[in-house]
Amino acid sequence: MEMSSTLTYREHIEILKDNLDFEEQGDSIYLNHEDDEARLLWAFHRPSGSHPHQVGDRNTDVAIMAFNHSRLGALERFKRLNSAVIDDPDLRRHIRNRSRMLFRALVDNDFVELLEVLTLFPVFIDQACDQMINGRIWNENYATAFRASQFLEIAETYINDKLIEGVIRRLKPINTYSYDEAKDLLVELSTQAQKLHESIKGHYVIEFEKWIEREKLHPLQAIVLQKQITHLKDFHV
């Protein structure tokens, strides 16, 4: 369907909506349209969310619109975003609400993608810290002690008691661990001790000591675990 010279882009898109292949037709006409306004409207009206290609559009207004209306995951969305938007504080304001939602999901996961995003784009550390402190926990994809420590290293200048508490909340609670699970985790923590943040080590030392006392283990089992705890303590300043 050709666009009449008397139709605006918006009017033409409205007409295309009646077609079963609306998105396919719209992509063919507007995805690489020479007019910024046309690409901007398509980023907004595209039925399955903006096209991944549009997030990196050369025009920052189009890129911002596409970022905000994209259905890409957080990591892919940030990686595709026009770098001019990331580099300019004024432009970043226009994606702040969407970024906040993305970081809410990132911190409520295993920290793998969170760490990658922050390594690539450290300018977003303030939003990550805000969500670490204030974001609710919805999933059970807990962070490991090592990744939690990596996050605290990246966020070093933002560390306070609330941030540490937020990170610890995203570690798997040990109160439901079996003896074998507790032993395996302690071995892992002891092996990684030199790479773990002091706050993370301190947390596990306290939690495992309480766990041993609560579980009323056989003395030999308690000795095995206590050796690992002592090793962890030796690296806890």
Side-chain angles (χ1 to χ4, degrees), residues 174-176 207 209-217:
I174 67 171
N175 56 3
T176 60
E207 291 301 306
E209 288 183 337
K210 290 193 295 188
W211 184 88
I212 290 174
E213 183 178 350
R214 184 176 62 248
E215 292 297 310
K216 302 188 184 304
L217 300 174

Side-chain angles (χ1 to χ4, degrees), residues 16-120:
L16 289 179
K17 283 183 178 180
D18 294 331
N19 299 331
L20 293 176
D21 58 349
F22 169 43
E23 184 163 285
E24 183 180 346
Q25 284 196 46
D27 280 349
S28 67
I29 297 169
Y30 291 109
L31 195 57
N32 296 299
H33 200 286
E34 63 181 12
D35 191 332
D36 293 344
E37 181 188 354
R39 299 197 311 281
L40 181 71
L41 282 169
W42 187 237
F44 178 79
H45 286 285
R46 192 171 186 268
S48 66
S50 62
H51 191 281
H53 173 73
Q54 293 182 291
V55 181
D57 195 277
R58 62 184 180 274
N59 180 282
T60 55
D61 288 339
V62 177
I64 288 168
M65 178 69 78
F67 181 91
N68 289 333
H69 286 81
S70 174
R71 296 185 186 176
L72 290 172
L75 175 60
E76 189 66 18
R77 207 180 309 193
F78 281 113
K79 287 172 70 173
R80 286 179 174 271
L81 182 57
N82 182 330
S83 60
V85 178
I86 296 173
D87 295 337
D88 188 325
D90 290 331
L91 293 178
R92 284 202 307 274
R93 286 191 301 104
H94 297 290
I95 63 166
R96 188 167 182 82
N97 287 340
R98 185 61 61 188
S99 295
R100 183 168 58 247
M101 294 177 64
L102 294 175
F103 276 106
R104 184 179 303 164
L106 287 170
V107 303
D108 194 26
N109 212 310
D110 60 10
F111 284 22
V112 173
E113 290 196 355
L114 171 67
L115 291 170
E116 187 167 351
V117 168
L118 293 177
T119 299
L120 293 170

Side-chain angles (χ1 to χ4, degrees), residues 129 132-133 151-152 155 158-167:
C129 290
M132 194 69 71
I133 293 170
F151 173 79
L152 288 173
Y158 290 81
I159 289 180
N160 56 34
D161 290 343
K162 288 185 177 180
L163 182 62
I164 291 172
E165 180 184 348
V167 173

Side-chain angles (χ1 to χ4, degrees), residues 123-179:
V123 71
F124 292 106
I125 186 62
D126 62 327
Q127 286 194 295
C129 290
D130 175 70
Q131 289 306 307
M132 194 69 71
I133 293 170
N134 299 308
R136 296 179 64 182
I137 297 177
W138 297 98
N139 297 319
E140 292 186 353
N141 298 317
Y142 297 104
T144 63
F146 180 62
R147 289 176 186 145
S149 296
Q150 287 181 303
F151 173 79
L152 288 173
E153 183 178 344
I154 293 173
E156 183 178 6
T157 58
Y158 290 81
I159 289 180
N160 56 34
D161 290 343
K162 288 185 177 180
L163 182 62
I164 291 172
E165 180 184 348
V167 173
I168 288 174
R169 286 169 54 222
R170 288 167 173 82
L171 300 172
K172 186 175 181 179
I174 67 171
N175 56 3
T176 60
Y177 274 40
S178 67
Y179 172 77

